[in-house]
Amino acid sequence: MDPDSAYIEVAVALPVYQTFTYSVPELLRDLQRPGKRVLTPFGRRRVTGYIFGSSPPPENKEIKPILDIIDEQPLFPATMVPFFNWIADYYKYPIGEVVKNALPGGLNIHEYSTLTITDQGRRALEHQQPPPVAQKILKQLVGGACRISRVLKHIDQPVSGRLLHDLEQKGWVTRKWELKGGSTKARIERYVRLNHSAPAADDLSQARRRILDILAIEGEMAVKALKAFVPTAAALIKSLECAGYLTIDHRRVYRDPFGDSIKLDTALRLNREQQAVVAQVCKQLDKGYRPFVLNGITGSGKTEVYMQIAAEAMKKGRSILVLVPEIALITQTERRFRARFGECVSVLHSGLSAGERYDQWSRIRQGATPITIGARSAIFAPHKDLGAIIVDEEHDPSYKQEGKLRYNARDLAVVRAKQNNCITILGSATPSIQSYHNVTTRKYVELKLTRRVEQRQLPEIRLVDLRQVRDARGLQRFITPPLLSAMTESLDRGEQVLLFLNRRGYASFPVCSACGQPMRCKHCDISLTLHRRSNAYRCHYCGFSRAATSHCDSCGSPKIRHLGLGTEKLEEMLTSRFSQARIARMDRDTTARKGSIVRLLKGLKEKTIDILIGTQMVAKGHDFPNITLVGIICADLSLSFPDFRAGERTFQLLAQVAGRAGRGDRPGQVILQTYNPEHFCITAAQSQDYATYYQQEIIFRQALAYPPFSRMIQLKISGKDPHQAEQFARGLGDDCQTLKATYPATYRRVDIMGPIEATLTRIAGRYRWQILLKSTQISALHRFINQLMTAHHTRFTHRRIRVAIDVDPVFLM
């Protein structure tokens, strides 16, 4: 970018799909750099924009100047601009909103308008009988100034911009524009040090002399630390500075997201398979883009392979990005990387505070931490010279972002690696069908780890048919005699047990014993789940809750039967059965607080936990070396979902959770309880045979032209009024059919399925419909959706109906 350029390309943080050209005042030209934020005029507002680069002089068009350059240093390197452009084009999302989603929250400045009723407006409300809508607006403003968005929300009916303009022209309301935002900033702390030529301290108070004595011993010191010795230090240091006793410096400090310090370790000795994988990958580090799939069984030492590849990349001056699917897994991975690489490691995930995330982002941008570990949003980490992008547990659906920018971090890892001319490694014991299909078609290179480290054996997996205990009561209905016996033996030997149940809460189906109606969510078409610890019924989709003492909505009866099993109820049953055992749960309810995951992992390591009950969190790459028995309570919970990926997810989940057993010195065993012992997903998981599973699943996918043999775009339609949502969805479906009929040759390979109601019809008070577009050619799908958005743009900007475009959808319910 030419630093003296008079014109720049700016992406504004608004829902618009193109970038804009602005002029740069001469006084600001030497400050402009790609990646910096600017304050720009946009219509009647002032908004945040992001500099993408220089722009050619416009032809016969008046160009507005930027108002200010906000940042001293760029927030992201110029190499990320093509990445942002690709994302906006592929996922059909406004370019400025893409950048906004990528950056730490709380940075942007935006302008909003407020309305205030005038004295003339009050008189008009009392005496002139304004039109009904105007009357509602004025009544809303009687209580005080209010944002326009809030006024419109309370009125809950269409209001034209012309009406608001007329109210201003009549002098009934005044509009005021205000700037807001930029709440996340660098933390600045004061440091103090003694002056060498300080005057005598004889006349000073005792507290002031105490400050000088401490600084004489400690040297330079943060005021925050000084307050531990002298609580009033913050109020006294300014007078000491004015008197010439000390000097105050203001410095940026970084908020520490880690917690406990880590003891450094050294690289482990690799076995032959690991050595071969590391050697093959490291040869490619200087040769440009190459995607690898690391197909390594559970316990084969993939993390050690990642670390040794990272070490080699760092020797070459390159940075490394490591993605993991869950925050729960970040803690374990981050601690292992910090033990190896120390202060070179940063983390990025939604569990950080806004300030911590901003500080970590800043350190990455400055090149202070060449290794970043994070969840899916870490794919946007502002590294300048990437050498490798590693996606651990690449099969995990958590890499797909639902809501707003609907990206898949695994796919973006491949795209960013290609744009940065570096390698990417997709690691898993159960690779996704999509990734492994790319191996078979030679788009990706397969790397294999077929043995566990230190010659440990895979656990023995035993199937137990739940149909044989269908009529059992109490604990034995869920914990069959073979599992109960194995648990008793393991505990008697002082070993740890893991029980997997992918359903949290106490009872998943509370039902009225008088009329048979379930306790349903007020906002969703789904039953509530009882959470005994919080003494409330909760919806796992929208968060709605009601007291556990609530009566039936249909008949008013207080007698509610708590059917179904959750991790809370299982914990209660086991506490009664194994009274001496120390039992813990690992689910979203017990890991919500900061530090809770570390405490759980520490308890397992130090053997203060005998039985761990967990949801799918426990299946995601955790290393529990003391667990010798894994019990899978019901293997079929996800098998019957109305989704073509249900079998794939079931196999992956079972194989992964089974792999938690026997990772230490003692052999492991798995008891897998199922109602479908003959299903090929179950038998493949029992034999830990990914190749056999893939061969059967890929035949089914090809026969029905499902991904990876086709690509999909899902249009998700939702509205608060069920009839309006249905009418809109059917109208959009007609538009799709008309477009295809108008260009039959161009779109002959585009299949339009729907519109149909979503499987979960109502969530968070919105009625949901969907249209699925499918084609063997992704280019045809993108042309189709682009033309649809252009020809019917009002469909996608409707005030009451939301239309979300989900490219490569993962969840179809």
Side-chain angles (χ1 to χ4, degrees):
M1 177 177 180
D2 180 4
D4 298 322
S5 175
Y7 299 97
I8 55 174
E9 181 187 9
V10 175
V12 294
L14 290 173
V16 291
Y17 287 85
Q18 73 271 30
T19 56
F20 297 88
T21 298
Y22 285 89
S23 64
V24 184
E26 191 169 352
L27 289 174
L28 296 176
R29 287 179 192 172
D30 60 341
L31 300 176
Q32 60 180 329
R33 296 287 184 280
K36 285 189 176 184
R37 289 173 300 156
V38 292
L39 188 63
T40 64
F42 195 87
R44 298 178 63 183
R45 290 182 287 178
R46 291 169 290 173
V47 298
T48 299
Y50 312 99
I51 301 177
F52 270 22
S54 301
S55 181
E59 296 181 4
N60 303 321
K61 190 175 181 181
E62 184 181 353
I63 299 298
K64 294 180 180 179
I66 62 170
L67 305 175
D68 196 9
I69 293 179
I70 300 171
D71 303 303
E72 292 183 11
Q73 298 295 328
L75 290 176
F76 54 86
T79 54
M80 291 187 69
V81 171
F83 186 52
F84 291 142
N85 281 320
W86 189 95
I87 293 170
D89 178 64
Y90 188 81
Y91 289 108
K92 310 305 172 191
Y93 204 73
I95 180 63
E97 297 283 292
V98 169
V99 183
K100 181 180 176 180
N101 275 272
L103 296 177
L107 291 178
N108 285 343
I109 298 170
H110 63 275
E111 193 169 45
Y112 65 93
S113 59
T114 58
L115 292 178
T116 305
I117 189 170
T118 63
D119 291 338
Q120 188 176 346
R122 293 178 189 273
R123 290 193 294 270
L125 187 60
E126 293 177 6
H127 306 298
Q128 296 186 23
Q129 290 291 313
V133 178
Q135 196 173 60
K136 287 183 179 181
I137 293 173
L138 294 175
K139 285 181 178 179
Q140 181 68 30
L141 296 176
V142 168
C146 193
R147 284 196 190 189
I148 290 180
S149 58
R150 186 172 297 176
V151 173
L152 300 181
K153 182 178 180 181
H154 280 88
I155 291 174
D156 198 29
Q157 70 182 82
V159 177
S160 68
R162 181 68 184 175
L163 174 59
L164 294 177
H165 179 71
D166 289 344
L167 293 178
E168 283 187 86
Q169 292 296 105
K170 291 177 180 178
W172 292 357
V173 301
T174 58
R175 188 190 303 222
K176 183 180 179 183
W177 293 89
E178 297 180 20
L179 285 173
K180 186 178 179 181
S183 58
T184 303
K185 298 177 181 177
R187 174 181 284 179
I188 305 297
E189 288 189 4
R190 292 179 295 172
Y191 280 74
V192 290
R193 67 177 186 273
L194 284 178
N195 287 337
H196 295 299
S197 57
D202 299 337
D203 297 333
L204 296 179
S205 66
Q206 184 177 352
R208 287 178 172 84
R209 286 201 302 271
R210 173 74 171 145
I211 290 173
L212 299 181
D213 291 341
I214 292 170
L215 292 177
I217 297 170
E218 299 291 335
E220 191 175 54
M221 198 172 189
V223 175
K224 186 176 180 181
L226 186 60
K227 286 168 66 177
F229 300 98
V230 182
T232 58
L236 301 176
I237 59 172
K238 187 63 179 177
S239 62
L240 289 172
E241 182 188 38
C242 293
Y245 289 99
L246 51 79
T247 299
I248 303 174
D249 292 327
H250 292 80
R251 297 181 187 173
R252 179 174 183 178
V253 296
Y254 292 96
R255 287 153 278 215
D256 182 12
F258 293 115
D260 296 342
S261 58
I262 300 292
K263 184 179 179 181
L264 292 176
D265 71 3
T266 55
L268 301 178
R269 185 174 180 179
L270 302 178
N271 61 32
R272 288 186 179 180
E273 282 189 332
Q274 290 174 311
Q275 289 174 6
V277 167
V278 171
Q280 185 173 350
V281 173
C282 289
K283 283 181 182 178
Q284 190 64 34
L285 281 173
D286 290 328
K287 297 181 180 178
Y289 167 69
R290 196 74 178 271
F292 295 97
V293 170
L294 178 55
N295 185 359
I297 64 170
T298 56
S300 58
K302 293 187 288 293
T303 304
E304 183 63 33
V305 167
Y306 299 152
M307 289 194 291
Q308 298 210 15
I309 292 170
E312 192 63 29
M314 287 175 62
K315 288 179 184 177
K316 297 177 181 293
R318 311 289 292 276
S319 55
I320 301 93
L321 177 56
V322 182
L323 301 183
V324 294
E326 290 268 6
I327 296 176
L329 190 56
I330 289 175
T331 301
Q332 177 178 281
T333 307
E334 161 252 303
R335 289 173 74 87
R336 291 191 64 180
F337 270 80
R338 281 174 59 211
R340 184 69 52 83
F341 300 105
E343 297 299 317
C344 294
V345 179
S346 59
V347 292
L348 282 178
H349 57 79
S350 60
L352 303 179
S353 68
E356 288 172 341
R357 186 175 174 85
Y358 176 64
D359 283 351
Q360 292 292 296
W361 183 277
S362 299
R363 296 186 72 212
I364 297 166
R365 184 193 64 206
Q366 293 163 8
T369 55
I371 299 175
T372 297
I373 298 169
R376 59 177 175 253
S377 62
I379 189 61
F380 301 113
H383 286 290
K384 296 179 181 177
D385 189 12
L386 278 168
I389 302 177
I390 297 167
V391 185
D392 194 26
E393 309 295 342
E394 66 85 24
H395 66 277
D396 199 291
S398 297
Y399 283 119
K400 175 68 173 181
Q401 168 73 32
E402 290 295 315
K404 295 186 178 180
L405 174 56
R406 300 171 185 270
Y407 65 90
N408 191 313
R410 179 200 64 202
D411 298 342
L412 288 188
V414 177
V415 172
R416 192 170 181 190
K418 188 171 185 177
Q419 290 185 347
N420 284 261
N421 206 28
C422 70
I423 64 168
T424 184
I425 303 171
L426 311 180
S428 177
T430 54
S432 64
I433 296 295
Q434 180 74 50
S435 294
Y436 203 75
H437 179 70
N438 285 334
V439 169
T440 62
T441 56
R442 303 199 176 189
K443 291 181 180 178
Y444 297 171
V445 178
E446 184 179 20
L447 307 169
K448 281 192 174 185
L449 295 175
T450 61
R451 299 176 182 176
R452 283 190 160 186
V453 296
E454 298 180 3
Q455 298 181 339
R456 294 170 186 155
Q457 298 298 311
L458 282 170
E460 175 191 356
I461 302 178
R462 177 182 174 188
L463 293 185
V464 175
D465 191 346
L466 285 173
R467 293 173 297 187
Q468 297 177 1
V469 294
R470 196 186 298 267
D471 298 326
R473 292 290 181 267
L475 179 64
Q476 291 196 1
R477 186 177 179 185
F478 308 109
I479 307 289
T480 58
L483 178 54
L484 198 60
S485 174
M487 288 178 65
T488 303
E489 293 173 5
S490 294
L491 294 174
D492 288 344
R493 292 193 298 264
E495 298 168 355
Q496 292 174 321
V497 176
L498 170 63
L499 296 180
F500 171 71
L501 175 62
N502 203 19
R503 188 169 285 165
R504 62 190 173 101
Y506 186 85
S508 57
F509 192 66
V511 62
C512 177
S513 58
C515 68
Q517 288 296 315
M519 298 287 281
R520 287 193 172 275
C521 175
K522 181 181 178 181
H523 308 293
C524 307
D525 288 335
I526 196 165
S527 61
L528 297 170
T529 298
L530 175 65
H531 287 253
R532 180 67 64 84
R533 180 166 292 185
S534 58
N535 203 31
Y537 295 106
R538 288 182 178 172
C539 175
H540 289 175
Y541 283 86
C542 74
F544 170 77
S545 66
R546 57 189 300 185
T549 54
S550 301
H551 294 186
C552 174
D553 289 332
S554 297
C555 70
S557 172
K559 297 180 180 179
I560 308 297
R561 294 187 64 193
H562 297 138
L563 306 179
L565 181 67
T567 51
E568 272 190 317
K569 184 185 284 188
L570 184 60
E571 180 184 24
E572 181 183 276
M573 289 178 165
L574 290 173
T575 300
S576 176
R577 175 65 176 80
F578 298 99
S579 57
Q580 302 301 314
R582 295 160 296 182
I583 302 173
R585 280 189 294 122
M586 189 176 186
D587 54 30
R588 285 190 181 180
D589 297 330
T590 62
T591 59
R593 289 188 176 181
K594 196 169 185 178
S596 56
I597 296 171
V598 174
R599 287 191 292 273
L600 272 171
L601 296 176
K602 189 176 180 180
L604 287 167
K605 184 178 181 180
E606 297 177 353
K607 298 186 178 181
T608 59
I609 296 173
D610 299 315
I611 301 174
L612 178 66
I613 302 166
T615 56
Q616 61 181 349
M617 279 187 174
V618 301
K620 299 190 176 186
H622 287 289
D623 188 23
F624 305 131
N626 300 316
I627 288 177
T628 58
L629 173 65
V630 169
I632 298 172
I633 304 303
C634 183
D636 316 312
L637 290 180
S638 59
L639 198 54
S640 58
F641 281 2
D643 189 325
F644 72 90
R645 293 190 180 93
E648 179 182 4
R649 289 177 186 147
T650 300
F651 168 78
Q652 289 167 341
L653 201 54
L654 297 180
Q656 289 284 342
V657 76
R660 300 313 108 196
R663 297 171 74 97
D665 297 330
R666 299 179 182 180
Q669 63 171 323
V670 179
I671 308 291
L672 194 158
Q673 300 181 158
T674 175
Y675 288 104
N676 297 280
E678 298 87 11
H679 196 287
F680 82 93
C681 292
I682 304 294
T683 57
Q686 180 188 19
S687 61
Q688 298 276 289
D689 189 350
Y690 177 81
T692 298
Y693 167 75
Y694 174 82
Q695 291 301 328
Q696 289 188 260
E697 179 70 17
I698 204 70
I699 293 171
F700 154 71
R701 298 281 182 93
Q702 188 170 20
L704 297 177
Y706 280 138
F709 297 99
S710 66
R711 304 292 283 275
M712 293 181 174
I713 294 179
Q714 187 181 24
L715 302 179
K716 299 181 177 182
I717 303 127
S718 68
K720 292 185 176 181
D721 183 289
H723 303 294
Q724 188 180 29
E726 178 180 359
Q727 185 179 13
F728 188 96
R730 295 195 184 283
L732 184 57
D734 291 341
D735 293 339
C736 291
Q737 295 291 353
T738 301
L739 179 59
K740 180 177 179 178
T742 305
Y743 302 96
T746 304
Y747 299 128
R748 69 182 185 277
R749 294 187 179 180
V750 174
D751 295 327
I752 303 167
M753 294 177 279
I756 59 168
E757 279 189 299
T759 305
L760 297 174
T761 306
R762 185 172 61 117
I763 290 181
R766 301 188 71 87
Y767 294 85
R768 305 163 67 243
W769 286 70
Q770 58 187 23
I771 299 171
L772 199 62
L773 309 175
K774 186 173 74 167
S775 177
T776 56
Q777 297 178 335
I778 187 63
S779 57
L781 274 182
H782 277 274
R783 282 197 303 270
F784 187 92
I785 198 68
N786 285 340
Q787 197 163 353
L788 184 69
M789 291 173 68
T790 301
H792 305 282
H793 66 276
T794 55
R795 292 277 191 191
F796 297 87
T797 56
H798 199 280
R799 287 187 57 191
R800 294 177 178 273
I801 302 294
R802 296 177 191 161
V803 180
I805 301 171
D806 192 354
V807 181
D808 301 330
V810 171
F811 304 99
L812 299 178
M813 294 174 62

